[in-house]
């Protein structure tokens, strides 16, 4: 059975309680996080700050993350089972939960996305990552990535050896890629 320590994201982006609220809001927006741990100087969790907390606080310039955060924060420890974590996230309507040690220091964070990725096959996850890199490079769906047991096949029309090398180099950056092949053909209108 998987536990929090097996799936948590780390290092954790956090802010200190004294961080100006506007700055904490920028961190939330820049990273696209739903929630952000607020910690003291020792890394001990004080509470969680959400986008909703920032919006509710308004534009009071002297507010800090500590003044706007939700407390007490729900937490799990590193040995918590992922099924228990999933029930907490869904049951409480939260998107992420900090993983803390016995002293309350933040070790990691588990999000709904972390748990969702566990439900997907690894080939599906690799394919999404591969296709995103290809589309970002070409600007449109010019090449198509297909994955089977970690082997990525990129199909499409290449304008020479330089493009073939670029496609292979991009696929080597995909976590979980075991082998890369280039195929021929024209990608469908996906």
């Amino acid at each position: 059975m998987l536990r929090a320590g097996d799936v948590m994201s780390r290092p954790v982006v956090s802010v200190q309680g004294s961080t100006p609220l506007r700055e904490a809001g920028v961190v939330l927006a820049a990273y696209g996080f739903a929630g952000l741990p607020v910690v003291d100087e020792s890394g001990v969790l004080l509470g969680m700050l959400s986008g909703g907390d920032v919006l509710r606080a308004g534009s009071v310039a002297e507010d800090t993350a500590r003044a706007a955060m939700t407390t007490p924060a729900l937490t799990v420890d590193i040995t918590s089972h992922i099924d228990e974590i999933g029930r907490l996230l869904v049951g409480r309507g939260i998107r992420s939960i900090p993983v803390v040690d016995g002293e309350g220091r933040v070790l990691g964070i588990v999000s709904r996305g972390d748990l969702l990725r566990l439900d997907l096959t690894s080939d599906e996850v690799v394919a999404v990552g591969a296709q995103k890199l290809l589309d970002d490079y070409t600007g449109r769906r010019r090449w198509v990535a297909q994955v089977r047991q970690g082997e990525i096949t990129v199909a499409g029309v290449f304008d020479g050896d330089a493009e073939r090398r670029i496609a292979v180099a991009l696929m080597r950056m995909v976590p979980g890629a075991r082998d890369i092949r280039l195929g021929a053909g024209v990608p469908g209108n996906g």
Side-chain angles (χ1 to χ4, degrees):
M1 169 93 33
L2 290 174
R3 298 177 184 274
D6 300 320
V7 300
M8 68 185 185
S9 298
R10 60 180 163 206
V12 177
V13 176
S14 62
V15 294
Q16 290 195 345
S18 60
T19 302
L21 187 56
R22 184 166 180 78
E23 183 181 323
V26 168
V27 172
L28 275 168
Y31 284 93
F33 293 151
L36 191 61
V38 179
V39 297
D40 69 11
E41 298 77 23
S42 303
V44 173
L45 184 68
L46 300 172
M48 287 291 286
L49 183 71
S50 70
D53 294 330
V54 173
L55 292 173
R56 277 188 293 279
S59 60
V60 179
E62 62 273 359
D63 271 352
T64 62
R66 185 179 206 140
M69 71 183 183
T70 298
T71 188
L74 288 175
T75 63
V76 294
D77 68 42
I78 202 160
T79 62
S80 297
H81 291 263
I82 62 166
D83 56 343
E84 170 193 340
I85 296 169
R87 283 192 298 276
L88 268 173
L89 292 173
V90 173
R92 298 290 184 102
I94 56 176
R95 294 164 139 185
S96 59
I97 192 163
V99 180
V100 297
D101 66 13
E103 283 78 47
R105 285 187 300 268
V106 179
L107 302 173
I109 197 158
V110 177
S111 70
R112 288 182 181 187
D114 294 329
L115 298 183
L116 178 60
R117 280 186 286 282
L118 293 174
D119 286 341
L120 302 174
T121 67
S122 59
D123 281 351
E124 290 170 325
V125 173
V126 171
V128 168
Q131 193 63 57
K132 179 171 182 355
L133 282 174
L134 293 172
D135 291 349
D136 286 351
Y137 175 76
T138 63
R140 57 187 165 86
R141 181 71 41 103
R142 210 173 125 209
W143 303 324
V144 173
Q146 295 178 330
V147 181
R148 184 178 173 116
Q149 296 179 341
E151 180 179 287
I152 303 174
T153 302
V154 179
V157 177
F158 299 92
D159 292 336
D161 286 340
E163 279 196 346
R164 287 182 187 87
R165 285 191 300 273
I166 289 168
V168 169
L170 287 169
M171 295 304 93
R172 285 188 179 135
M173 295 170 45
V174 177
R178 294 188 186 130
D179 195 19
I180 296 113
R181 296 178 40 190
L182 298 179
V186 179
N189 297 335

